[in-house]
Amino acid sequence: MAAELNRAAFFQAVRLRPFPGSLTAGQVSGMEAILDACPPDTPTDHLAYALGTCPIETGWTMQPVKEKGGAAYYTRMYDIAGDRPAKAKELGNIKPGDGALFCGRGLLQLTGRSNYRRATSRLRDLGMVPALTDLEQTPDFAMDPDIASAILFVGMREGWFTGKKLADYFAAGRADWTGARRIINGQDRAAEIGQHAQGFRAALIAAGHRPGAVAASVPTIVVESKPLAPPTVPSRPAASSATPAQKPVTAQASGFGAWVRRLLGKEAA
């Protein structure tokens, strides 16, 4: 990663591509959380594709979202007592009510008790959530922008969702912008997402981002072991053509600084 990323230049570029000429405050804050969470060794193409996946997955809000539907739909689709008990077992939803409790949430629709449990365990191992923060016990933690962004990067890097991972499509000069959709969901809207990702790539390069070397792990954050309060999900603000003030960010930033400060009570939530 470059020593600094000029965020003003980044937002100025993405406002025109892939966005249609303006950004909402919610879109800006969502992308800020993603950029803050990005491990500093992340290659440009990896970051671009992670960003490029989010417009379609979040309905262009760039904020964590809850899967559309209600309790009846979640029960039918994911519950052991629903229409697809085999799928429910695959997701670890073995108790009646699990389908609704562990419906899709986040930037990439984390779904199923087993996946919430894995996210908790892995993010704890990496020091990205405190020891007492448990997504299985409080699934709405997946709606916290910082946690959702951590899931975005770690999940896509490690192949949580389909077994495919970023390095399978972006490595050694190879960039498969369409095939990379298999990391998340087959080839659903693959070409469209690839185009969005390339728009983000152009913006990152314009803002000074440069490819880094892939490392074996992401940065570790040491925080006090106390649970995070359930998040309040912001409503989507009105559209604006404003560009945020320039905010150069060093590559060595922790990525979870604001969130960690909230955890430690040093910053208002």
Side-chain angles (χ1 to χ4, degrees):
M1 179 181 284
E4 294 185 346
L5 178 69
N6 185 325
R7 294 203 183 185
F10 171 79
F11 285 114
Q12 182 64 32
V14 297
R15 185 167 65 85
L16 301 176
R17 180 189 179 207
F19 293 90
S22 65
L23 293 170
T24 68
Q27 287 167 335
V28 171
S29 65
M31 286 185 279
E32 290 275 15
I34 293 168
L35 293 173
D36 287 346
C38 180
D41 63 338
T42 302
T44 303
D45 286 356
H46 288 206
L47 174 54
Y49 195 81
L51 284 162
T53 296
C54 293
I56 299 305
E57 294 288 335
T58 70
W60 288 91
T61 66
M62 304 303 286
Q63 293 281 347
V65 296
K66 188 173 182 179
E67 182 178 5
K68 291 182 180 179
Y73 172 79
Y74 305 141
T75 298
R76 185 171 71 254
M77 296 296 290
Y78 308 127
D79 203 271
I80 195 69
D83 293 347
R84 304 194 302 167
K87 184 63 175 179
K89 290 179 181 178
E90 178 186 330
L91 293 170
N93 292 343
I94 59 175
K95 299 179 181 178
D98 279 356
L101 189 60
F102 299 104
C103 64
R105 294 178 178 85
L107 295 169
L108 295 177
Q109 298 295 282
L110 189 71
T111 307
R113 181 186 285 274
S114 292
N115 289 322
Y116 280 77
R117 182 184 298 132
R118 174 172 62 175
T120 297
S121 176
R122 186 64 177 134
L123 296 184
R124 283 178 177 175
D125 287 347
L126 293 170
M128 290 182 168
V129 296
L132 298 182
T133 297
D134 192 328
L135 279 77
E136 185 178 2
Q137 294 298 315
T138 309
D140 275 342
F141 283 151
M143 295 292 286
D144 180 277
D146 297 307
I147 294 178
S149 297
I151 291 169
L152 171 75
F153 285 110
V154 180
M156 294 184 78
R157 173 178 279 193
E158 297 185 352
W160 287 6
F161 308 103
T162 65
K164 301 293 185 180
K165 54 187 180 295
L166 285 164
D168 293 335
Y169 300 94
F170 303 99
R174 175 175 177 245
D176 185 352
W177 298 99
T178 301
R181 179 60 174 160
R182 294 187 179 91
I183 297 167
I184 304 299
N185 189 10
Q187 287 287 277
D188 174 55
R189 303 179 76 171
E192 181 182 1
I193 291 169
Q195 288 296 315
H196 299 330
Q198 290 177 77
F200 279 112
R201 182 183 190 277
L204 288 166
I205 291 174
H209 195 280
R210 295 292 180 268
V214 177
S217 62
V218 296
T220 298
I221 309 301
V222 179
V223 297
E224 183 178 348
S225 294
K226 61 179 181 179
L228 179 66
T232 299
V233 181
S235 59
R236 187 178 181 183
S240 168
S241 61
T243 298
Q246 182 169 339
K247 184 182 178 183
V249 178
T250 64
Q252 302 305 316
S254 71
F256 288 85
W259 179 44
V260 171
R261 288 194 295 274
R262 292 205 303 274
L263 286 172
L264 299 179
K266 297 178 181 179
E267 180 177 291

